[in-house]
Amino acid sequence: MAELIDGKQIAADIRAEVAQAVKQLAAQSVKPGLAVVLAGEDLASAVYVRMKAKACEEVGIHSRVILLPAETNQAELEKIIDELNADPAIHGILVQLPLPPQIAERSIIWRIDPAKDVDAFHPVNVGRLAVGDSDAFRPATPAGVIELLLRSGHDPSGKLAAVVGRSNIVGRPLATLLSLNAKGGNATVTVCHSRTPNLFGITRQADIVVAAIGRPEFITKEAVQPGAVVIDVGVNRVDDAGSEKGYRLVGDVAFDEVAEIAGAITPVPGGVGPMTIAMLLSNCVKAARSIASTA
Ligand code: GUN
């Protein structure tokens, strides 16, 4: 049976570190502030936004949640971004994705002040990360995966890693982090996706497999070599008539069968999910520190 990588515990450790850093900033009269913007009524997004705000309060970060109707237009959302960019009490701005279809996501992301872009989605921050700037923001979920690996004793350095999924939010920035010549990097990385031939043949060679493709239980035991470290980024709702809610959450990994052969594995829930929030908090402190030092 694989070792279980406890994302809840590792995230709690990071949150305690963040709370400590918030105290140190308080001594300099700086209180980090995060604005979370949610447009529309997507249920999962609403849950995430509430969790992010609650996590902020718990570590002493000021949080402001801005809920907008689904019919919000481009100009209205841009005006809100401009106000948050100018607001000295706000150090981090997070626009929850996906946005309603009438809004051009890219121009909203590009409008956020890169110094406040705690998601690290602005091209300036994507570029800084890609060229190995060690002060760059790291996007929360990929950074969470790296921290899980390091803190559970599975340093990616010198390993073969297969990242399954190529999204801007997870797969591609994670491939960047894993391949950087830096702590948490130095892996040899293959990015697999829907057009990859013989995908399982590639993942089966990997020492580290990260599943971030958004397909329930896609990674089966045939996709994993014995002893590999398996990190599951997926969160999928599948119908389950036997459960109270009528559904259950599963990852992108067929957990039970993969756990039989893997060396280590993350559960869903309780793996990558809590890490995403912990790393967001860490980015808010980083933003506040950096803005305070240039003010
Ligand atoms: N939607 C899914 N993941 C994320 C994330 O990390 N940040 C934002 N803003 N939206 C998301």
Short mmCIF file of all heavy atoms in Angstrom, two decimals, residues 37 45 48 52 93-98 119 121 139-142 169-170 276, ligand 1:
data_model
loop_
_atom_site.label_atom_id
_atom_site.label_comp_id
_atom_site.label_asym_id
_atom_site.label_seq_id
_atom_site.Cartn_x
_atom_site.Cartn_y
_atom_site.Cartn_z
N VAL A 37 -12.99 38.24 -6.31
CA VAL A 37 -14.11 38.68 -7.14
C VAL A 37 -14.76 37.45 -7.77
O VAL A 37 -14.08 36.62 -8.38
CB VAL A 37 -13.62 39.63 -8.26
CG1 VAL A 37 -14.80 40.11 -9.10
CG2 VAL A 37 -12.85 40.81 -7.66
N SER A 45 -17.62 27.42 -7.60
CA SER A 45 -16.84 28.64 -7.43
C SER A 45 -17.23 29.36 -6.14
O SER A 45 -16.36 29.87 -5.41
CB SER A 45 -17.05 29.59 -8.61
OG SER A 45 -16.41 29.09 -9.76
N TYR A 48 -15.54 27.68 -3.27
CA TYR A 48 -14.11 27.99 -3.23
C TYR A 48 -13.88 29.39 -2.67
O TYR A 48 -12.99 29.61 -1.84
CB TYR A 48 -13.48 27.91 -4.63
CG TYR A 48 -13.34 26.49 -5.15
CD1 TYR A 48 -13.68 26.18 -6.47
CD2 TYR A 48 -12.85 25.47 -4.36
CE1 TYR A 48 -13.56 24.89 -6.96
CE2 TYR A 48 -12.73 24.18 -4.85
CZ TYR A 48 -13.09 23.90 -6.15
OH TYR A 48 -12.97 22.63 -6.63
N LYS A 52 -11.76 30.46 0.58
CA LYS A 52 -10.58 31.34 0.50
C LYS A 52 -10.70 32.49 1.51
O LYS A 52 -9.74 32.82 2.21
CB LYS A 52 -10.44 31.89 -0.93
CG LYS A 52 -9.92 30.84 -1.92
CD LYS A 52 -10.06 31.28 -3.38
CE LYS A 52 -9.59 30.15 -4.31
NZ LYS A 52 -9.81 30.44 -5.74
N ILE A 93 -5.33 40.45 -5.61
CA ILE A 93 -6.62 40.44 -6.31
C ILE A 93 -6.77 39.09 -6.99
O ILE A 93 -5.88 38.67 -7.75
CB ILE A 93 -6.69 41.55 -7.38
CG1 ILE A 93 -6.48 42.94 -6.75
CG2 ILE A 93 -8.02 41.49 -8.14
CD1 ILE A 93 -6.27 44.05 -7.77
N LEU A 94 -7.88 38.43 -6.69
CA LEU A 94 -8.14 37.13 -7.30
C LEU A 94 -9.51 37.19 -7.96
O LEU A 94 -10.50 37.46 -7.29
CB LEU A 94 -8.10 36.05 -6.22
CG LEU A 94 -8.26 34.60 -6.65
CD1 LEU A 94 -7.55 33.70 -5.66
CD2 LEU A 94 -9.71 34.19 -6.77
N VAL A 95 -9.54 36.99 -9.26
CA VAL A 95 -10.81 36.92 -9.98
C VAL A 95 -11.09 35.44 -10.22
O VAL A 95 -10.34 34.77 -10.94
CB VAL A 95 -10.75 37.69 -11.31
CG1 VAL A 95 -12.07 37.57 -12.06
CG2 VAL A 95 -10.41 39.16 -11.07
N GLN A 96 -12.13 34.94 -9.58
CA GLN A 96 -12.40 33.51 -9.67
C GLN A 96 -12.79 33.14 -11.10
O GLN A 96 -13.64 33.78 -11.71
CB GLN A 96 -13.52 33.14 -8.68
CG GLN A 96 -13.80 31.65 -8.58
CD GLN A 96 -12.67 30.84 -7.97
OE1 GLN A 96 -11.90 31.34 -7.14
NE2 GLN A 96 -12.53 29.60 -8.38
N LEU A 97 -12.16 32.13 -11.64
CA LEU A 97 -12.45 31.63 -12.98
C LEU A 97 -13.27 30.35 -12.85
O LEU A 97 -13.14 29.64 -11.85
CB LEU A 97 -11.14 31.34 -13.72
CG LEU A 97 -10.15 32.51 -13.81
CD1 LEU A 97 -8.89 32.07 -14.55
CD2 LEU A 97 -10.78 33.71 -14.49
N PRO A 98 -14.11 30.00 -13.80
CA PRO A 98 -14.35 30.71 -15.06
C PRO A 98 -15.27 31.91 -14.88
O PRO A 98 -16.08 31.95 -13.95
CB PRO A 98 -15.04 29.64 -15.91
CG PRO A 98 -15.72 28.73 -14.91
CD PRO A 98 -14.87 28.76 -13.69
N ASP A 119 -2.74 35.16 -8.08
CA ASP A 119 -2.96 33.92 -8.84
C ASP A 119 -1.77 33.62 -9.76
O ASP A 119 -1.63 32.50 -10.26
CB ASP A 119 -4.21 34.06 -9.72
CG ASP A 119 -5.45 33.41 -9.11
OD1 ASP A 119 -5.29 32.43 -8.37
OD2 ASP A 119 -6.55 33.90 -9.41
N PHE A 121 -1.44 34.71 -12.81
CA PHE A 121 -1.96 34.44 -14.15
C PHE A 121 -1.60 35.54 -15.15
O PHE A 121 -1.73 35.36 -16.35
CB PHE A 121 -3.50 34.31 -14.11
CG PHE A 121 -4.01 33.10 -13.37
CD1 PHE A 121 -5.36 33.02 -13.02
CD2 PHE A 121 -3.18 32.03 -13.04
CE1 PHE A 121 -5.86 31.91 -12.35
CE2 PHE A 121 -3.68 30.92 -12.36
CZ PHE A 121 -5.02 30.87 -12.02
N PRO A 139 1.90 30.25 -9.20
CA PRO A 139 0.46 29.98 -9.12
C PRO A 139 0.17 28.93 -8.05
O PRO A 139 0.96 28.00 -7.82
CB PRO A 139 0.10 29.50 -10.52
CG PRO A 139 1.37 29.18 -11.21
CD PRO A 139 2.47 29.93 -10.51
N ALA A 140 -0.97 29.10 -7.36
CA ALA A 140 -1.20 28.41 -6.11
C ALA A 140 -1.23 26.88 -6.24
O ALA A 140 -0.59 26.18 -5.44
CB ALA A 140 -2.50 28.91 -5.47
N THR A 141 -1.94 26.38 -7.21
CA THR A 141 -2.06 24.91 -7.28
C THR A 141 -0.73 24.26 -7.66
O THR A 141 -0.28 23.33 -6.97
CB THR A 141 -3.22 24.50 -8.21
OG1 THR A 141 -4.42 25.08 -7.70
CG2 THR A 141 -3.38 23.00 -8.27
N PRO A 142 -0.05 24.73 -8.72
CA PRO A 142 1.26 24.13 -9.03
C PRO A 142 2.25 24.29 -7.87
O PRO A 142 2.98 23.34 -7.53
CB PRO A 142 1.73 24.92 -10.26
CG PRO A 142 0.48 25.44 -10.88
CD PRO A 142 -0.48 25.69 -9.76
N ILE A 169 -3.73 27.06 -15.74
CA ILE A 169 -3.83 27.18 -14.28
C ILE A 169 -2.96 26.13 -13.59
O ILE A 169 -2.37 26.38 -12.55
CB ILE A 169 -5.30 27.06 -13.83
CG1 ILE A 169 -6.12 28.24 -14.36
CG2 ILE A 169 -5.42 26.98 -12.32
CD1 ILE A 169 -7.58 28.25 -13.92
N VAL A 170 -2.87 24.93 -14.18
CA VAL A 170 -2.13 23.86 -13.48
C VAL A 170 -1.02 23.24 -14.35
O VAL A 170 0.17 23.39 -14.04
CB VAL A 170 -3.07 22.74 -12.98
CG1 VAL A 170 -2.27 21.72 -12.17
CG2 VAL A 170 -4.21 23.29 -12.13
N THR A 276 -3.73 24.40 -2.30
CA THR A 276 -4.00 25.55 -3.17
C THR A 276 -4.31 26.78 -2.32
O THR A 276 -3.79 27.87 -2.55
CB THR A 276 -5.18 25.23 -4.11
OG1 THR A 276 -4.79 24.17 -4.97
CG2 THR A 276 -5.58 26.43 -4.94
N1 GUN B 1 -10.57 28.46 -10.83
C1 GUN B 1 -10.04 27.23 -10.63
N2 GUN B 1 -8.83 27.34 -10.04
C2 GUN B 1 -8.61 28.66 -9.86
C3 GUN B 1 -7.54 29.40 -9.30
O1 GUN B 1 -6.53 28.88 -8.84
N3 GUN B 1 -7.69 30.75 -9.28
C4 GUN B 1 -8.78 31.35 -9.79
N4 GUN B 1 -8.83 32.67 -9.77
N5 GUN B 1 -9.78 30.71 -10.34
C5 GUN B 1 -9.70 29.36 -10.36
#
